[in-house]
Amino acid sequence: MNNLGLFLGVVNTALMRKQALKTFLTLNSGRRTLVWTNVQNSLLRTYSQDKSKTGSSNFVCYSLLHRTLVKIHGHETNSFLQGLVTNDMELLEDERCMYAHMLNVQGRTLYDIIFYSLKEKSTEPSLLLECDSTVKDAILKHLKVYKIRRKVSITHCPELAVWALLPVHKDGAPGKPEIADNKQDIVLERDPRTELMGWRLIVNHEVKPEDIIASALEGNPEEYHKHRYTIGLPEGVNDLPPGVALPLESNLVYMNGINFSKGCYLGQELTARTHHTGVVRKRLMPVRLSAPVDGLQEGVALQTNSAKAAGKYRAGKGEHGLSLIRLAHAKEPLALKPSQADGSSVTLQVSVPEWWPNEAK
């Protein structure tokens, strides 16, 4: 039984130990040593390979089904979009990826978008626009309203999928992921909002990132959203309700999503005036609840210990979320209004994102 004890000590799961014990006890005495050695080597090799695969992974890939893509192509693509978005389309002459918002005439956010330049894949200006999948039809309608007679084509791209690649280890993050299969039509760019959001990957919806990136494993999308809420980065209509969120309160400047020296665009007046006055009294900030609250909706009031209005809850997952916080109360203990917390006392801890510029901390 000494061999049995040695073998069970290296098998790493209870199920594998049970199977090994059964194999050991049913072996014929004449063949015991030979078969035992083969089984032992096989299981050790499998365990070693699995451990090696996990340990060598540099990125976790998350399928972003809540995001979709629209292709805009044509000679007047940049001039057309220049009047509709907060950032400067000329930046895509040098950059491959850019973040921006589309605003309504009152200067409130309609859609948060990411542009991907395709100039190396086309003779005419061409790009992909990433947006929340739930407002895809609204964005297509919005673009076509302002297209008029411009020479651009606008098409939805359901055959393409958006993935996020986050580094496994925060410290000493690896460089750009290496693509093993260059035959695929791939867009791989660093997330333009902050380095803490890793990389953005666009591939055909039938392609899995782990099949073309040797150092990647697929993860649960819920972990992606938890990461966003933990670091305080908004994305999509839940975090940025159309017609409600203001771009500067939503930290658009900190996410590299606006240019104040470009020409006029839809919704510019209020945004530019607020920026030049230098007064932003509320900001979207990450919060951590003392306990999860079922059914917590956008707009729930927050208050200080002295019952002063301190802001409103926006969205989140479990204990982590985003809230629009009055900066005057950001360092105070806050809580949900008692009527909003099922009668129990739920407090919130507000934190300043590490990716904000130093002067904002």
Side-chain angles (χ1 to χ4, degrees):
M1 296 297 291
N2 290 337
N3 285 339
L4 177 60
L6 175 63
F7 178 65
L8 293 181
V10 297
V11 178
N12 68 317
T13 67
L15 178 59
M16 291 174 68
R17 289 180 181 177
K18 182 177 180 180
Q19 292 173 336
L21 178 60
K22 183 178 179 181
T23 302
F24 182 87
L25 295 177
T26 55
L27 292 175
N28 294 326
S29 58
R31 301 174 56 211
R32 180 175 298 170
T33 302
L34 177 60
V35 176
W36 173 258
T37 302
N38 291 337
V39 172
Q40 183 182 25
N41 290 340
S42 176
L43 287 173
L44 284 174
R45 184 165 55 251
T46 301
Y47 169 70
S48 177
Q49 289 172 345
D50 290 343
K51 183 177 181 181
S52 174
K53 182 179 179 181
T54 303
S56 63
S57 298
N58 293 325
F59 297 94
V60 181
C61 307
Y62 300 97
S63 175
L64 306 185
L65 298 179
H66 66 291
R67 307 292 284 181
T68 193
L69 293 157
V70 172
K71 185 176 182 180
I72 305 175
H73 174 81
H75 179 67
E76 297 181 279
T77 295
N78 287 352
S79 60
F80 163 57
L81 292 170
Q82 185 77 322
L84 295 178
V85 302
T86 57
N87 219 334
D88 188 355
M89 294 302 300
E90 293 183 4
L91 295 177
L92 286 179
E93 293 297 323
D94 299 318
E95 304 291 334
R96 295 288 304 275
C97 189
M98 185 180 76
Y99 182 64
H101 281 193
M102 288 184 177
L103 311 180
N104 61 15
V105 293
Q106 289 80 29
R108 294 184 180 269
T109 294
L110 288 177
Y111 319 112
D112 65 308
I113 55 179
I114 298 178
F115 288 115
Y116 303 90
S117 174
L118 300 177
K119 62 181 180 180
E120 296 180 359
K121 304 178 185 294
S122 175
T123 56
E124 288 190 329
S126 182
L127 54 82
L128 291 173
L129 180 155
E130 177 195 321
C131 63
D132 192 301
S133 58
T134 62
V135 294
K136 176 259 300 181
D137 292 336
I139 283 186
L140 289 173
K141 181 179 179 181
H142 183 75
L143 292 172
K144 290 175 181 178
V145 164
Y146 291 95
K147 175 186 173 183
I148 311 177
R149 293 187 178 89
R150 293 185 182 272
K151 296 179 181 179
V152 296
S153 62
I154 304 168
T155 54
H156 181 224
C157 301
E159 73 280 4
L160 299 178
V162 182
W163 293 77
L165 277 62
L166 299 181
V168 172
H169 304 292
K170 181 179 178 181
D171 298 330
K176 187 173 183 178
E178 295 184 6
I179 303 295
D181 186 359
N182 293 325
K183 297 180 180 179
Q184 297 288 340
D185 191 11
I186 295 168
V187 174
L188 177 62
E189 299 296 336
R190 183 177 289 281
D191 195 305
R193 298 168 294 183
T194 168
E195 289 188 357
L196 297 181
M197 289 300 295
W199 298 80
R200 236 37 180 198
L201 174 68
I202 298 174
V203 291
N204 187 281
H205 71 280
E206 296 179 350
V207 177
K208 294 291 185 180
E210 60 266 35
D211 294 335
I212 59 175
I213 300 176
S215 58
L217 289 176
E218 186 171 350
N220 187 339
E222 291 297 311
E223 293 299 318
Y224 168 82
H225 293 296
K226 182 179 178 180
H227 171 72
R228 283 198 308 103
Y229 288 128
T230 300
I231 69 172
L233 191 134
E235 181 177 279
V237 296
N238 291 332
D239 303 339
L240 302 165
V244 175
L246 287 168
L248 299 190
E249 291 183 350
S250 303
N251 308 314
L252 185 59
V253 176
Y254 301 163
M255 292 187 287
N256 310 306
I258 191 167
N259 187 297
F260 292 105
S261 61
K262 63 174 283 187
C264 297
Y265 58 90
L266 190 65
Q268 179 199 27
E269 184 178 355
L270 175 62
T271 307
R273 185 168 65 247
T274 303
H275 170 69
H276 291 299
T277 60
V279 180
V280 179
R281 294 187 174 88
K282 295 178 288 183
R283 285 195 180 275
L284 206 57
M285 302 180 73
V287 296
R288 184 167 185 173
L289 281 65
S290 58
V293 179
D294 293 335
L296 191 57
Q297 298 296 318
E298 184 268 330
V300 171
L302 310 180
Q303 63 181 22
T304 65
N305 288 341
S306 57
K308 292 182 179 179
K312 294 181 178 180
Y313 183 81
R314 181 61 62 78
K317 293 282 185 183
E319 298 176 354
H320 297 276
L322 293 170
S323 293
L324 188 63
I325 302 294
R326 293 181 182 272
L327 296 179
H329 301 301
K331 296 182 180 180
E332 300 179 38
L334 304 181
L336 299 178
K337 273 195 171 183
S339 60
Q340 307 291 344
D342 300 327
S344 59
S345 176
V346 177
T347 60
L348 297 89
Q349 180 182 355
V350 183
S351 59
V352 178
E354 63 176 281
W355 51 273
W356 282 15
N358 291 330
E359 60 269 20
K361 296 180 180 179

